[in-house]
Amino acid sequence: MRSYPAGVRARKLAEEYPVVDLDADAIEAARLLATHRLPGLVVTDGRTGKPYTILPASQVVRFLVPAYVQDDPSLAAVVDEPLADQVARKLTGHRVRSMLPSTPKELPVVDADDTILEVAAIMARLRCPLVAVAEGNAVLGVITAARLLEHALASA
Amino acid sequence: MRSYPAGVRARKLAEEYPVVDLDADAIEAARLLATHRLPGLVVTDGRTGKPYTILPASQVVRFLVPAYVQDDPSLAAVVDEPLADQVARKLTGHRVRSMLPSTPKELPVVDADDTILEVAAIMARLRCPLVAVAEGNAVLGVITAARLLEHALASA
């Protein structure tokens, strides 16, 4: 028998993770991703306080790529337009909301009392690298796939 | 005019990133993900040395979720089978190769001499959080979306 701590719940594995509001400044969100080298941010809806979606860092990069390059990627090799020039144009004065894809990916939310197997099952089914852990309307934190593996390996 | 350094190439932004071979030990790969809290590992093909795919941490989690729970996720709430019990069963004695999805996602590979805009265009098009940077057969490192943003913001 393994000495797995009985009844470990999502609450115990939840960790702090940067959260931004839908109406937060776009450039601040980009800085948060860059400074902490994050693959994405949790976006909450300020009206409800609930986790709403993930803003992937790759989506912000996408937002910075000029439209004519997105239309014809081969142009990227021959034009000499630095990505940095797009920062002021695309991010300054904009909000997180406008950087999201037109149909934002749903952020999986688990309950603080869900079991670790439930969390793993959701992560496996949606192939998502992290889930938000909520208690009522409050986001307690997130559980990443790597954190889940750490827990499973430590208990094995 | 912005003082963007002219001619910045992928080589300059490439960073070290854990790489495992297709035939590496599955449990070692899981440990690498857990210890460094990575969203994924770069997998190389030992025969060619070339970057082959990404092993996402969520895929390893998926590998650990019992088949009957994958088939019927509602069972996760009612069974009391710790994820840790699956570690020995599913990972010990297995190789990275066997954890990959049946059609592994192609890892975008850019050339060390590609421009930053080319890297961004590929990342944007494939919506991927990182690309491998290669020079010939050798992997110099990776560029994550967050690193690309850091560069763009610093140069803006």
Side-chain angles (χ1 to χ4, degrees):
Chain A
M1 286 300 295
R2 276 172 238 303
S3 62
Y4 185 87
V8 175
R9 303 289 160 155
R11 167 196 324 278
K12 200 183 157 216
L13 263 55
E15 298 180 305
E16 267 191 56
Y17 198 84
V19 169
V20 293
D21 190 85
L22 267 174
D23 287 315
D25 189 45
I27 209 156
E28 285 315 310
R31 271 193 216 291
L32 210 50
L33 287 163
T35 309
H36 298 282
R37 295 293 186 91
L38 298 168
L41 294 172
V42 171
V43 181
T44 50
D45 183 339
R47 289 170 311 156
T48 62
K50 284 193 181 171
Y52 177 69
T53 188
I54 288 279
L55 173 65
S58 61
Q59 173 68 20
V60 181
V61 169
R62 190 180 164 85
F63 199 72
L64 290 180
V65 173
Y68 66 92
V69 173
Q70 286 195 35
D71 292 342
D72 183 357
S74 67
L75 289 175
V78 290
V79 294
D80 191 22
E81 180 154 15
L83 205 57
D85 284 359
Q86 301 287 323
V87 170
R89 200 175 307 158
K90 298 277 189 74
L91 299 186
T92 307
H94 288 86
R95 296 179 188 279
V96 164
R97 182 188 295 281
S98 64
M99 290 193 289
L100 294 174
S102 49
T103 49
K105 216 175 163 176
E106 191 194 343
L107 169 63
V109 180
V110 301
D111 190 88
D113 287 322
D114 282 353
T115 68
I116 302 309
L117 187 56
E118 283 180 276
V119 176
I122 286 169
M123 215 173 250
R125 194 166 74 251
L126 304 180
R127 296 164 192 271
C128 58
L130 92 182
V131 300
V133 181
E135 188 156 46
N137 274 355
V139 185
L140 295 187
V142 308
I143 300 177
T144 63
R147 174 73 185 104
L148 208 64
L149 289 178
E150 186 183 51
H151 172 76
L153 289 166
S155 317
Chain B
M1 284 302 294
R2 276 171 238 305
S3 62
Y4 186 85
V8 175
R9 304 288 159 155
R11 169 195 323 277
K12 199 182 158 216
L13 262 56
E15 297 179 306
E16 268 192 55
Y17 197 84
V19 169
V20 294
D21 189 86
L22 267 174
D23 287 316
D25 189 45
I27 208 155
E28 285 315 310
R31 270 192 217 293
L32 210 50
L33 288 163
T35 309
H36 298 282
R37 294 293 185 89
L38 299 168
L41 295 173
V42 172
V43 180
T44 51
D45 183 339
R47 290 169 312 155
T48 62
K50 284 192 180 170
Y52 177 70
T53 188
I54 288 279
L55 173 65
S58 62
Q59 173 68 20
V60 183
V61 169
R62 189 179 165 86
F63 198 73
L64 289 180
V65 173
Y68 66 91
V69 173
Q70 286 195 34
D71 292 344
D72 183 356
S74 68
L75 289 176
V78 290
V79 295
D80 191 21
E81 180 153 15
L83 206 57
D85 285 359
Q86 301 288 323
V87 170
R89 201 174 306 159
K90 298 277 188 74
L91 298 185
T92 305
H94 287 87
R95 296 178 188 279
V96 164
R97 181 187 297 279
S98 64
M99 289 194 289
L100 294 174
S102 48
T103 48
K105 216 176 162 177
E106 192 193 343
L107 169 63
V109 180
V110 301
D111 189 88
D113 287 322
D114 283 353
T115 68
I116 302 309
L117 187 56
E118 284 180 274
V119 176
I122 286 170
M123 214 174 249
R125 194 166 75 250
L126 303 179
R127 295 164 193 271
C128 59
L130 93 180
V131 301
V133 181
E135 189 157 47
N137 273 354
V139 185
L140 294 187
V142 307
I143 301 177
T144 63
R147 174 73 186 101
L148 208 63
L149 290 177
E150 186 184 51
H151 172 76
L153 290 165
S155 316

